[in-house]
Amino acid sequence: MGWYREIGEIVEALDEPSFPALLAERLRRLVACDLAAMFVYQGRTPPLLVFDNFKIRGAEQAVANYLNHTYVLNPVYQAHLKGVAPGVYRIRDLAPDAFFESEYHRQVEIILSDQEEIGYITPEWPRGQEEVDITISVDQGATCEISLYRPISDGGFDEAKMARLREVYPVLAACFRDHWRRHGAAYGCRSGGRDVWADDVLDQFGAAVLTNRERQVIQLVLRGHSSQSIGDLLEISMTTVKTHRKHAYEKLGISTQAELLSSFLGFVRSEPGFARVGAE
């Protein structure tokens, strides 16, 4: 495959702060991806940012929002909590069945206001990107996510590119684990862990007015599950799911999924912990 020189350069950089940037550049050469980001998830604590090459105006705030709170709705974070197997995934393989029809992913017009900016979605964020995620188990149950993005108009990540990533995966995983052992602390890793505030806020959303079952349904809606998926997970009928959802919407004073997302983000920002998350 002719990637031996790149592998040698990656190994030589293991002890260098530039390792993540070099790794991203070599992956770009391998599969012609445009953008890359690397995060490490440790339990239910907020993710640690290892690297990103998002140079688009507004992306810095978008990433900060993700690190502070919107990560709780992300499929990779949710897969990490469930113990995702190390490997190479298309994002749709990790996402709930209705995630790409959810307001988190779909309703850009709503999310793009100053009050509702969420995750990576900003007014300048390039549309039509396909995402592939490389998951690597690091120490003490932590998971590294390497996200790669390539325009769908350029063919996205076809099976040949996926095969290349899977072929080099063992080397990538071994190198990242070694770099993390040497430099994990430099990215904010510490034995006491970080604040679990944002994940707790999702659990508390609607607690003042909703029943426990209604809250379970709403949390799954926010994470991108369809009524069928929610019913399967909670072992209730679709009719019961829709009834709980209808009652929850009425109690929250909303009528659409877009309003649900807006209400959740408003709740996040109203919590006392919001201002201090990410301030370390």
Side-chain angles (χ1 to χ4, degrees):
M1 188 173 62
W3 213 55
Y4 300 111
R5 176 178 297 178
E6 283 80 1
I7 291 173
E9 292 172 347
I10 291 170
V11 171
E12 287 182 353
L14 285 174
D15 204 30
E16 301 295 329
S18 61
F19 169 79
L22 186 142
L23 178 59
E25 172 59 23
R26 297 307 178 262
L27 287 171
R28 184 192 67 78
R29 293 184 188 179
L30 182 67
V31 293
C33 58
D34 291 347
L35 303 172
M38 302 178 194
F39 302 95
V40 169
Y41 303 97
Q42 300 171 295
R44 294 176 64 241
T45 62
L48 300 173
L49 176 63
V50 175
F51 169 84
D52 76 81
N53 61 0
F54 302 156
K55 304 304 181 185
I56 306 160
R57 181 172 61 88
E60 182 177 353
Q61 182 59 50
V63 171
N65 286 349
Y66 179 76
L67 296 172
N68 283 346
H69 56 281
T70 58
Y71 70 88
V72 298
L73 303 180
N74 186 272
V76 180
Y77 171 71
Q78 293 299 323
H80 153 72
L81 292 182
K82 297 174 184 176
V84 62
V88 180
Y89 299 90
R90 299 182 190 278
I91 185 63
R92 61 176 173 266
D93 295 331
L94 295 175
D97 60 342
F99 178 77
F100 295 101
E101 288 76 48
S102 70
E103 297 302 333
Y104 177 93
H105 186 272
R106 181 170 60 87
Q107 291 294 341
V108 175
E109 309 85 13
I110 296 167
I111 297 170
L112 290 187
S113 72
D114 290 341
Q115 291 75 33
E116 304 302 341
E117 189 173 60
I118 181 173
Y120 303 124
I121 303 174
T122 70
E124 295 79 21
W125 192 255
R127 305 294 193 269
Q129 298 282 319
E130 183 175 359
E131 178 180 345
V132 163
D133 293 290
I134 302 169
T135 62
I136 301 169
S137 295
V138 288
D139 58 348
Q140 299 177 350
T143 302
C144 167
E145 170 197 356
I146 302 176
S147 296
L148 307 176
Y149 303 86
R150 193 170 190 273
I152 295 173
S153 60
D154 290 344
F157 294 93
D158 58 21
E159 287 307 315
K161 288 181 174 57
M162 295 295 289
R164 287 177 206 152
L165 290 171
R166 293 185 180 111
E167 185 173 358
V168 302
Y169 175 85
V171 174
L172 297 180
C175 287
F176 189 91
R177 280 194 294 267
D178 188 86
H179 177 74
W180 186 255
R181 281 193 293 269
R182 303 183 194 205
H183 296 286
Y187 302 108
C189 179
R190 66 186 189 191
S191 59
R194 297 178 69 203
D195 201 325
V196 298
W197 169 84
D199 218 357
D200 287 341
V201 168
L202 180 60
D203 291 338
Q204 296 162 10
F205 176 57
V209 294
L210 304 180
T211 66
N212 287 338
R213 183 63 91 187
E214 289 165 353
R215 286 167 56 210
Q216 289 177 324
V217 169
I218 289 304
Q219 288 170 15
L220 290 170
V221 171
L222 283 167
R223 288 169 174 159
H225 289 270
S226 68
S227 294
Q228 180 64 61
S229 175
I230 294 171
D232 291 343
L233 288 169
L234 300 182
E235 299 183 341
I236 56 179
S237 69
M238 283 185 61
T239 299
T240 303
V241 171
K242 292 177 180 178
T243 298
H244 285 312
R245 183 170 177 169
K246 177 176 180 292
H247 290 165
Y249 278 19
E250 289 173 350
K251 292 177 181 179
L252 293 171
I254 60 176
S255 57
T256 67
Q257 190 181 4
E259 292 175 342
L260 174 63
L261 178 59
S262 179
S263 180
F264 170 66
L265 293 178
F267 180 72
V268 167
R269 289 177 173 86
S270 71
E271 287 296 297
F274 177 72
R276 64 183 170 82
V277 173
E280 301 173 349

